[in-house]
Amino acid sequence: KSINKNKIIISLSSPISKKIKKLDILIPNNNLTNTSIQEQVSDKIVAFIEKSFDRKEKKKLIQIININGLENYKELKNIFLIKLNNLFSKQSIEIIDTENTINKNHYSIDIDFTIDEVTKEKIKLKVNWSIYDKNKNLIGEIKQENTFLRSLLISIWPEISNKIIKMSLTEINILT
């Protein structure tokens, strides 16, 4: 039932396959100006378009060579990798394992973490991203650092990981 609701209809037609793909989105009238509703609608439209145009060929392939410096923090490394995969995939970047792929035409990234003690309570986290081109030549580095309470390293690591990755994405996209 669509009483008190607006409806957005998007149709895409392919001249090659002669198929028409259609997306219907119902939006409550009162929430049309709501930012959260707008974001949900945008996400649905993007997902529909990506599904309709199978964007696999537009994905960047990137191999993560190493993630160094978190050997004493295995759980933090695992969380970072999960966040990295998630945020990269939203940017159409696919992390690949070169041993299991036929395509050797990809960029590579080496990530080095350094955790230095500033005081008993504070640490300095440094992250260095080294980005290599398809011929394995260094094409750029991204350096990040921040000082915060030691106790926060583990307790808010998912948020820290998100910030580290998000702040590097623009440069990675430019370099690759």
Side-chain angles (χ1 to χ4, degrees), residues 57-130:
E57 71 280 350
K58 293 185 180 179
K59 282 193 176 187
K60 292 180 188 176
L61 302 177
I62 295 181
Q63 176 197 17
I64 304 300
I65 302 168
N66 282 310
I67 297 177
N68 299 311
L70 294 177
E71 292 76 17
N72 295 332
Y73 303 94
K74 297 253 187 255
E75 185 59 31
L76 300 186
K77 184 176 180 179
N78 290 338
I79 291 169
F80 183 81
L81 277 168
I82 290 168
K83 298 287 183 186
L84 189 67
N85 272 304
N86 183 320
L87 292 170
F88 271 29
S89 70
K90 289 180 180 180
Q91 294 287 316
S92 294
I93 299 171
E94 182 180 346
I95 296 176
I96 60 167
D97 176 4
T98 55
E99 293 175 13
N100 297 324
T101 186
I102 297 169
N103 184 352
K104 300 292 183 190
N105 194 17
H106 60 272
Y107 294 90
S108 304
I109 297 178
D110 202 0
I111 307 168
D112 290 313
F113 286 87
T114 306
I115 301 172
D116 294 325
E117 186 174 295
V118 176
T119 67
K120 283 186 178 182
E121 296 86 26
K122 290 187 176 184
I123 59 169
K124 181 180 282 190
L125 176 65
K126 297 178 186 176
V127 185
N128 186 50
W129 303 70
S130 300

Side-chain angles (χ1 to χ4, degrees), residues 1-175:
K1 197 172 187 181
S2 61
I3 297 174
N4 293 330
K5 294 188 179 201
N6 285 333
K7 189 174 193 178
I8 296 175
I9 301 171
I10 298 174
S11 295
L12 299 175
S13 62
S14 169
I16 297 169
S17 68
K18 306 289 186 215
K19 291 183 181 179
I20 296 175
K21 297 186 180 192
K22 186 175 170 185
L23 173 67
D24 292 340
I25 303 173
L26 292 176
I27 303 169
N29 285 338
N30 298 344
N31 292 331
L32 197 53
T33 58
N34 181 301
T35 306
S36 175
I37 298 294
Q38 291 171 359
E39 288 177 4
Q40 289 174 12
V41 169
S42 293
D43 289 345
K44 286 180 183 179
I45 292 170
V46 167
F48 172 69
I49 291 170
E50 285 179 344
K51 184 179 176 186
S52 298
F53 291 104
D54 192 15
R55 295 179 49 191
K56 288 181 183 175
E57 71 280 350
K58 293 185 180 179
K59 282 193 176 187
K60 292 180 188 176
L61 302 177
I62 295 181
Q63 176 197 17
I64 304 300
I65 302 168
N66 282 310
I67 297 177
N68 299 311
L70 294 177
E71 292 76 17
N72 295 332
Y73 303 94
K74 297 253 187 255
E75 185 59 31
L76 300 186
K77 184 176 180 179
N78 290 338
I79 291 169
F80 183 81
L81 277 168
I82 290 168
K83 298 287 183 186
L84 189 67
N85 272 304
N86 183 320
L87 292 170
F88 271 29
S89 70
K90 289 180 180 180
Q91 294 287 316
S92 294
I93 299 171
E94 182 180 346
I95 296 176
I96 60 167
D97 176 4
T98 55
E99 293 175 13
N100 297 324
T101 186
I102 297 169
N103 184 352
K104 300 292 183 190
N105 194 17
H106 60 272
Y107 294 90
S108 304
I109 297 178
D110 202 0
I111 307 168
D112 290 313
F113 286 87
T114 306
I115 301 172
D116 294 325
E117 186 174 295
V118 176
T119 67
K120 283 186 178 182
E121 296 86 26
K122 290 187 176 184
I123 59 169
K124 181 180 282 190
L125 176 65
K126 297 178 186 176
V127 185
N128 186 50
W129 303 70
S130 300
I131 296 100
Y132 299 90
D133 68 12
K134 297 172 182 185
N135 296 318
K136 310 303 177 223
N137 299 314
L138 181 66
I139 55 174
E141 290 186 314
I142 303 167
K143 296 180 186 254
Q144 302 164 304
E145 72 176 59
N146 207 338
T147 302
F148 51 90
L149 293 173
R150 177 187 302 277
S151 60
L152 295 178
L153 179 65
I154 294 173
S155 63
I156 63 167
W157 181 250
E159 292 83 1
I160 293 170
S161 292
N162 262 346
K163 278 290 185 201
I164 291 168
I165 297 162
K166 283 181 180 179
M167 292 177 71
S168 70
L169 273 171
T170 301
E171 288 85 357
I172 290 171
N173 274 319
I174 290 169
L175 290 168

